[in-house]
């Protein structure tokens, strides 16, 4: 049997989504057998929602078996779901999270992504743990520049909010000097950092970027302005692109946080295959289990680790997890717990391994369960 899978990426020209889509493709390939083939077509939305909607229409007209969609605009989820529901083609949304009410629209949709609150918090904690707590110029206040992704994405909102919250929670005084959208883009990151540096100069202690691409741009602007990361300014990103991991190790970037495109793409593929095999995911799958949620977003209580592990199987994520033991089951179990006081939220499956923090500084030997950290490119 050959299954046809349509994959819609919001834009090919994005460092992180490029790694993600390459991994999607090769993981599908790796799952092929003598009798089961996956014919995967990946299309470029070019950052244009109208274009992406057309691409979905085309896939549906061709009769694909499942779709994996990285929305250009998360707010268009309802429209896309409606089309797919009419055609009875299940959808795995990735990377850009639709609103909760949109996720309740049909039982053959799910979302795979990481928790951006965590990546934001890790960014802030890296700064908090610096000897001077991020106050590079020693004036008693951590004055920062925030370079955001696309503010329509909750990931951009959460990373922004939680990076700063980690500082204020630690009693650190902060001041926002500049906050602008860089749309996840390196060139925009460079432009914005250059503007901020010329406007605020030595007042800037920290430049937070919602992703590594923009941090790469900011690093160029920092160098051009004659500033030195680690000496008189700090620079943070998210993703742990290879290039940035090297920079962290070399000290030219203060830190980044792993955004695991491998784990995420595998979870997305596994989910699509479940749908193709006629299985449901999340609360929809749970409906036959011991707890019967009344509606798709019912909260299912988890009694403890074992129960969570069992549920994990029921939630159809066990397999993917088991194949990738170093980033799988534990993390997914933790993710279940993370969704509020040991509860699992219906279709909203964020059961992705926790992001790991990466920084040049010291890492405690003891590893608490939900924090797996990387230092000098190695996982602990
Ligand atoms: C990544 C960014 C990427 C964005 C695309 C985020 O999770 O950190 O690098 O540009 O997703 O939506």
């Amino acid at each position: 049997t050959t299954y046809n899978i349509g994959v819609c990426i919001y834009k090919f020209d994005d460092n992180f989504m490029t790694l993600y889509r390459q991994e999607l493709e090769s993981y599908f390939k790796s799952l092929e057998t003598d009798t089961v083939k996956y014919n995967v077509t990946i299309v470029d939305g070019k950052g244009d929602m109208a274009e992406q909607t057309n691409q979905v229409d085309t896939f549906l007209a061709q009769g694909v078996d499942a779709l994996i969609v990285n929305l250009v605009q998360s707010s268009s989820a309802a429209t896309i779901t409606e089309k797919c529901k009419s055609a009875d083609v299940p959808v795995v949304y990735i990377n850009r999270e639709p609103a909760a009410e949109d996720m309740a629209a049909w039982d053959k949709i799910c979302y795979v992504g990481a928790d951006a609150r965590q990546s934001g918090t890790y960014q802030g904690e890296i700064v908090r743990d610096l000897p001077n707590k991020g106050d590079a110029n020693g004036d008693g206040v951590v004055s920062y520049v925030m370079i955001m992704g696309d503010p329509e994405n909750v990931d951009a909102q959460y990373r922004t909010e939680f990076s700063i919250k980690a500082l204020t929670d630690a009693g650190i005084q902060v001041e926002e000097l500049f906050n602008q959208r860089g749309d996840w883009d390196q060139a925009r990151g460079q432009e914005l950092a250059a503007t901020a540096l010329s406007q605020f100069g030595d007042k800037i202690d920290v430049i937070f970027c919602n992703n590594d691409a923009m941090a790469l741009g900011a690093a160029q602007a920092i160098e051009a302005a004659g500033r030195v990361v680690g000496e008189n300014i700090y620079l943070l990103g998210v993703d742990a692109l290879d290039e940035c991991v090297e920079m962290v190790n070399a000290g030219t970037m203060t830190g980044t946080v792993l955004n695991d495109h491998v784990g995420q793409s595998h979870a997305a593929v596994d989910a699509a295959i479940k749908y193709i095999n006629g299985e449901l995911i999340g609360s929809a799958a749970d409906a036959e289990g011991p707890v019967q949620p009344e509606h798709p977003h019912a909260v299912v209580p988890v009694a403890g680790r074992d129960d969570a592990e069992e549920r994990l199987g029921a939630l159809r994520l066990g397999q993917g997890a088991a194949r990738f033991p170093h980033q799988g089951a534990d993390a997914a179990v933790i993710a279940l717990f993370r969704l509020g006081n040991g509860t699992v939220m219906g279709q909203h499956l964020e059961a992705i391994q926790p992001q790991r923090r990466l920084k040049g500084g010291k890492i405690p030997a003891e590893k608490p369960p939900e924090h797996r950290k990387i230092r000098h490119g190695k996982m602990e």
Side-chain angles (χ1 to χ4, degrees):
T1 326
T2 296
Y3 295 105
N4 295 309
I5 318 284
V7 180
C8 297
I9 300 295
Y10 94 99
K11 180 171 103 168
F12 276 9
D13 183 18
D14 176 295
N15 314 37
F16 176 76
M17 288 314 302
T18 297
L19 298 171
Y20 197 124
R21 82 182 133 95
Q22 288 165 349
E23 188 61 36
L24 269 179
E25 202 167 18
S26 62
Y27 182 54
F28 263 120
K29 264 263 155 296
S30 77
L31 297 178
E32 287 190 333
T33 64
D34 290 345
T35 52
V36 177
K37 305 285 176 208
Y38 298 105
N39 175 25
V40 181
T41 309
I42 309 187
V43 293
D44 181 1
K46 300 185 182 129
D48 179 347
M49 192 62 228
E51 167 104 23
Q52 188 171 63
T53 306
N54 286 336
Q55 292 170 337
V56 169
D57 286 337
T58 305
F59 275 138
L60 294 177
Q62 289 166 351
V64 288
D65 296 291
L67 283 174
I68 295 179
V69 179
N70 171 212
L71 288 164
V72 172
Q73 265 169 29
S74 346
S75 55
S76 295
T79 314
I80 300 297
T81 300
E82 196 46 50
K83 286 171 181 289
C84 296
K85 191 176 172 184
S86 305
D88 197 27
V89 173
V91 189
V92 179
Y93 287 110
I94 57 168
N95 175 259
R96 292 179 165 198
E97 190 175 359
E101 73 238 44
D102 291 339
M103 290 312 295
W106 191 30
D107 62 358
K108 291 187 192 167
I109 56 174
C110 67
Y111 172 71
V112 172
D115 182 358
R117 283 164 290 210
Q118 191 181 41
S119 36
T121 303
Y122 281 2
Q123 273 192 319
E125 288 179 353
I126 292 171
V127 174
R128 178 199 69 190
D129 294 344
L130 293 167
N132 60 8
K133 300 185 193 312
D135 185 10
N137 58 23
D139 66 357
V141 181
V142 173
S143 307
Y144 66 89
V145 165
M146 182 65 69
I147 300 182
M148 283 187 78
D150 175 347
E152 204 233 7
N153 309 155
V154 279
D155 276 31
Q157 295 160 19
Y158 278 150
R159 286 179 193 173
T160 299
E161 180 187 345
F162 282 78
S163 56
I164 302 309
K165 188 172 181 295
L167 297 179
T168 53
D169 281 355
I172 296 169
Q173 222 190 309
V174 300
E175 180 194 9
E176 183 177 271
L177 298 173
F178 180 99
N179 179 336
Q180 287 206 33
R181 61 184 291 174
D183 293 307
W184 307 112
D185 182 73
Q186 176 165 348
R188 288 289 292 145
Q190 177 173 11
E191 267 166 49
L192 293 174
T195 304
L197 284 159
S198 74
Q199 204 172 333
F200 299 102
D202 293 345
K203 235 186 151 313
I204 304 173
D205 294 301
V206 183
I207 299 185
F208 284 103
C209 298
N210 280 174
N211 76 347
D212 277 354
M214 296 188 295
L216 284 171
Q220 294 169 298
I222 287 171
E223 211 195 316
R227 302 284 292 273
V228 182
V229 172
E231 275 175 33
N232 52 36
I233 195 163
Y234 299 109
L235 174 64
L236 285 300
V238 173
D239 283 339
L241 299 179
D242 286 348
E243 225 175 323
C244 293
V245 171
E246 276 166 30
M247 287 170 66
V248 171
N249 289 336
T252 49
M253 210 170 134
T254 310
T256 183
V257 179
L258 180 68
N259 187 10
D260 187 358
H261 66 275
V262 176
Q264 291 176 51
S265 55
H266 292 193
V269 169
D270 289 342
I273 291 175
K274 292 290 174 196
Y275 283 137
I276 288 172
N277 293 333
E279 295 170 46
L280 293 176
I281 295 165
S283 65
D286 237 22
E288 287 162 18
V291 186
Q292 189 106 22
E294 275 168 28
H295 53 84
H297 271 80
V299 173
V300 182
V302 173
R305 196 189 167 82
D306 289 350
D307 185 30
E309 235 141 8
E310 207 168 286
R311 280 196 175 278
L312 197 62
L315 289 169
R316 323 270 183 220
L317 278 157
Q319 269 195 5
R323 268 199 297 274
F324 305 97
H326 67 286
Q327 51 187 197
D330 270 2
V333 169
I334 290 158
L336 297 189
F337 280 118
R338 189 170 43 66
L339 291 176
N341 311 324
T343 55
V344 184
M345 286 281 290
Q347 281 174 312
H348 186 91
L349 277 189
E350 284 182 334
I352 298 305
Q353 53 293 335
Q355 294 141 345
R356 282 155 291 238
R357 127 169 72 166
L358 180 68
K359 61 176 180 177
K362 283 221 174 63
I363 305 288
E366 236 279 281
K367 42 175 183 196
E370 63 255 62
H371 298 269
R372 279 201 258 154
K373 296 162 198 158
I374 306 172
R375 183 181 166 206
H376 297 307
K378 285 203 204 78
M379 205 178 315
E380 290 195 353

